[in-house]
Amino acid sequence: MTGATVWLTGLPSAGKTTIAHALADRLRAEGHRTEVLDGDEIREFLSAGLGFSREDRHTNVQRIGFVAELLASHGIKALVPVIAPYEDSREAVRKRHQSEGTAYLEVHVATPVEVCSVRDVKGLYAKQAAGELSGLTGVDDPYEEPQDPDLRIESHRQTVQESAAALHALLTERGLA
């Protein structure tokens, strides 16, 4: 089976990880080897010690991109729910995949910050509002939306299953599922 990296970018609490896990379940049920490279887990284990400066965020994204490409080049569907706020960092990951001949799809989970702050899965928006946290992507730190993603998902307008199905349809259309 053909491997691929599916990069899900969006604001904190946009629904990236939830959609990735729903898609992973479906792909595994169909017999695909699939891994979810969760941004929080990567930060804990592969990027421990990195902060949230632009340079550290770039380094983190490049590390994740390297691992994703490595997995994808070996026939695994690497689902990558990571904020990855900067266009140039995401583009560097795309170029790495292209240079290796590995399939890469960028998905923008385009959930408005107002919806994300209500979901506030990790309490980050509440901490930022209380002055306990600064540098929150999309609030007081930049998030550069993808200009031409392979798919844009508005998770606030559809269910998790509908979002995962749209992504699965894209993979099928590209001959990857």
Side-chain angles (χ1 to χ4, degrees):
M1 290 195 172
T2 304
T5 293
V6 179
W7 196 279
L8 296 95
T9 178
L11 296 174
S13 297
K16 302 176 298 296
T17 302
T18 304
I19 293 166
H21 281 290
L23 178 61
D25 290 346
R26 180 169 178 181
L27 289 171
R28 287 182 187 119
E30 294 172 353
H32 296 275
R33 294 179 357 184
T34 306
E35 286 295 332
V36 176
L37 299 179
D38 181 85
D40 292 330
E41 292 175 2
I42 296 290
R43 268 208 174 266
E44 182 179 348
F45 297 106
L46 188 63
S47 295
L50 289 180
F52 291 90
S53 67
R54 184 181 178 107
E55 184 179 325
D56 282 358
R57 288 176 191 256
H58 179 77
T59 299
N60 184 49
V61 167
Q62 297 317 297
R63 288 178 182 176
I64 297 168
F66 173 80
V67 173
E69 194 284 322
L70 191 63
L71 290 170
S73 72
H74 288 87
I76 295 170
K77 303 292 187 291
L79 309 182
V80 187
V82 177
I83 296 168
Y86 300 111
E87 183 68 35
D88 60 342
S89 296
R90 296 188 305 263
E91 187 57 27
V93 171
R94 178 188 299 278
K95 285 181 178 169
R96 169 186 292 282
H97 281 71
Q98 288 172 340
S99 71
E100 297 296 329
T102 306
Y104 177 89
L105 299 174
E106 183 178 70
V107 178
H108 180 205
V109 182
T111 309
V113 69
E114 300 80 19
V115 174
C116 294
S117 66
V118 170
R119 289 179 180 172
D120 204 10
V121 177
K122 298 172 200 142
L124 299 176
Y125 293 93
K127 286 181 182 173
Q128 193 277 336
E132 299 169 15
L133 174 75
S134 63
L136 181 59
T137 302
V139 178
D140 59 356
D141 213 46
Y143 177 75
E144 299 170 358
E145 291 191 6
Q147 297 307 302
D148 191 27
D150 295 285
L151 179 65
R152 190 175 313 277
I153 293 175
E154 295 186 356
S155 72
H156 58 295
R157 299 190 194 278
Q158 59 192 34
T159 67
V160 170
Q161 293 307 321
E162 289 168 336
S163 296
L167 192 40
H168 188 276
L170 176 65
L171 285 167
T172 301
E173 175 186 305
R174 302 278 173 95
L176 300 168

